[in-house]
Every structure is written in C-alpha cells, then in structure tokens.
Amino acid sequence: MRVAWTTLALIAVLLSDASTAVAQVPLTLAEALARARERAPEIVSARLAIEEARARLAGATHRQLNPDVDFAAGNRQGNGERSTDLDVGFSQSFEPGQRRSSREAMANASIAQSTASLEDVTRATLMETATLFLRSLQLSERVRLLERSVELANNVLQIADRRFRAGDVAILDVHIARAAAARIRAERQSVLADRAITIGELKELLQLQDDITPQGDMPTVATVDPSLIADATSRRSEIRVLEAAIQEAQAQEQFGRSFGRVEFGVGARYQREERNNIVLGGLTLTLPVFSKGQEPIASGLARAARLRAELDATRTRIGIEVRAALSAYQSRIEAVQVLERDALPGLDESVTLATRSFDVGQIGLAELLLIRREIIETRFQYLDALLEAAIARVELDARAGVLR
C-alpha cells in the first residue's frame, strides 16, 4: 500500500513539473520593454498623473467667482398698520483677465511637467527592465556552464574511483573529487535561486502572472554614434521638467501681480419699504491698497530663480553623466575583447587535456582541480564581462535619452 501511494506521489510530482514546463512563456528583450511601457506600475501611475493635471486645467479655465444673492424679509408695524418689507440683492464681481490666464498658464505648465516626468519614469523603468532581463540571461548561461561542470566533475570522480580501485591513488583523492563535485552542484543550485529571484523581480515589474523564460543572446558590442553624446541634453526629460516648472513659477508671479489691479463688480437691489418699491443699481470697486499679491509674487520669483540654477546644474550633470557612461562602456568593451582574444581560445581543449593527463597519471588531482577551477572562473568572468558591457550600453542609452 505504501509503495502504491509513493508511486502516485511520484506521478503527481512529474505531472506538476510537466505542467510547469508547459506554462513557461518565452520572452524577448523587445517584448519585455514593450510590456514595461504598457503595464509597469510606475509608468501607469505617471500616465494617470497627466490626466490629473488636465483635470486641473479644466477648472482653471472657468471663472472662480460666483454671483451673490441675498434676501431679507420682515414685518413692519406702526400706527395700527402692518406691512411686509422685502430686501433682495444680487451682485457679481469680476476678476482681472490676467488672473485667469495666469491660472491657465500654471495648469498648462503642470501638464508639461507631468508629461516630461512620464518620459523620465519610462526611461528609468526601461533601464531597470533591461538590466533584470540581461541578468536573467547571464544567470541562465551560468547555470548551463555549471551543469556542464557537474558532468566533468562526475567524470573526474569516476576516474579517481577507478584509479583508487586499481591502486594508483589514495582514497583521499576520491573524497576530494566527490567534495569538488558536490560543491559545483551546490553552486548550481545557488545560481538557480539567484535566477528565480531575478525573474521574479522582472515579473513583478512587468505585472506578469505566468512563468517566463527570457530568451535571446547578450547584445553584441556596437560602436557609439557621436550624435548620441552631442544631443543628450536636448533629449533628457529632466530638462523639460525644469523648463516647465520655471514657466509655472513665472505664471505664479503673474498670478500674484493680478491682485495689484483694481477689481470691480456690479449689483442690483430691490427693496420694498412701507409699500414703496425701490430698485437700486450698484458698482463696487476693490482697491489694492494693502493686499497686492505679495506672497505669490515673491514665491514665484524665488522659485523661478532656484529652478534656473537647478536647470544649469542639470545640464552640466547630464553632460558629465553621458561622458562617464561612454567611458565606462568603452572600458567594458575592452574587457570583453581581451578575454575573447587571450583567454577563451583553447579552454575546452585544456579541460580535455587536463582530464586525460589525470586519467593516465601525468598530473595529480590537486593540479586537475586547480586547472578546472581556473577555467570555470575564466568562463564566469567572461559572462560577467558580457553582462557588464550590455548593462553599460543600456545605461549609456538611458543617460543619453535614447532609451524611452
């Protein structure tokens, strides 16, 4: 009975693994970036912020003053007579046209800031998406190398065991070979865990429920177009955010100055006193004697000055960032080229020769393990160099405002 339940459990596990394998969805870098533009929470939130700013514009285009209506009624008694008195008034004030145009300018500047902020959020999100995707590709390749290393380690263990049985080596070599094989298997599991975390972060960013399998190769080394550096400042959205903020501060200053203008209003009043009807018309003037919009004027001027300083500093910072990113990318490329030229050729042959030399007793196990570890570390270093070069290119494109 226990055997039957064990068999059923094993079948269930196999079916579960098979269904998991079928549920894997292939995903390319281009598809990941397109998905991020559409579904990434930060981008969605920034896109909705534009609609929020447009809603404020709808309110800014309407007059902010409503008409006032007042009503009073009462009985009048005297000399044995009784009558009802009425007092009804209507008044409407008018704000200066400059005040409403200033509100519209502030609202339009807010929309421009939100639009530019969306571009900035998109740039940062796409950079994060590409980085996670490239890391997952690199970790998958690292897993494949470790799986191959496991096969080689098992082969070495078999050779050590055979030579021990033949009396050529001590049992110590068998133990060491077994421990080396176990270390590689453990390292493979650790890399699998890192890959699962990275893919999970990518799925969270892309709002994906299905299991995904990133597909593709590391981007190849490519030359950099000089215009990428020359036009970087004009493409960066931070510049447009600050320029729109300066326009908003200037509109705020103009809004404050509108309080220094004379405001007027018109009104009409109907009164009935002692059965007499009285109709009055009126004009009201608000003189800017004390309150002249001092606070919004001073605040707008100070804010505009601060933003202009930030704009100059941002232009300088972007130029430095792009040049530094270009320098880093070129250095990463050189690191890849050095390894491709001087380290990678002959590695497979070296593994085969070292294993054969141990098999025939020309080298010891310690030498074989040292050679094999050096070869593995070289391949890992090459994978790291490819990843760093690819990420450096992503960062260069992002800093230059191309990735958007």
Side-chain angles (χ1 to χ4, degrees), residues 52 221 346:
E52 184 179 349
V221 174

mmCIF file of all heavy atoms in Angstrom, residues 52 221 346:
data_model
loop_
_atom_site.group_PDB
_atom_site.id
_atom_site.type_symbol
_atom_site.label_atom_id
_atom_site.label_comp_id
_atom_site.label_asym_id
_atom_site.label_seq_id
_atom_site.Cartn_x
_atom_site.Cartn_y
_atom_site.Cartn_z
ATOM 1 N N GLU A 52 -4.639 63.774 -14.376
ATOM 2 C CA GLU A 52 -4.924 64.572 -13.174
ATOM 3 C C GLU A 52 -4.585 66.035 -13.409
ATOM 4 O O GLU A 52 -5.327 66.941 -13.000
ATOM 5 C CB GLU A 52 -4.122 64.008 -12.002
ATOM 6 C CG GLU A 52 -4.386 64.683 -10.677
ATOM 7 C CD GLU A 52 -3.579 64.077 -9.556
ATOM 8 O OE1 GLU A 52 -2.971 63.005 -9.763
ATOM 9 O OE2 GLU A 52 -3.549 64.667 -8.457
ATOM 10 N N VAL A 221 28.822 43.812 -29.078
ATOM 11 C CA VAL A 221 29.496 45.104 -28.947
ATOM 12 C C VAL A 221 29.204 45.949 -30.176
ATOM 13 O O VAL A 221 29.308 45.479 -31.311
ATOM 14 C CB VAL A 221 31.010 44.890 -28.776
ATOM 15 C CG1 VAL A 221 31.733 46.225 -28.788
ATOM 16 C CG2 VAL A 221 31.293 44.130 -27.483
ATOM 17 N N GLY A 346 41.033 27.799 -26.637
ATOM 18 C CA GLY A 346 41.746 26.677 -26.049
ATOM 19 C C GLY A 346 41.241 26.209 -24.707
ATOM 20 O O GLY A 346 41.802 25.252 -24.141
#
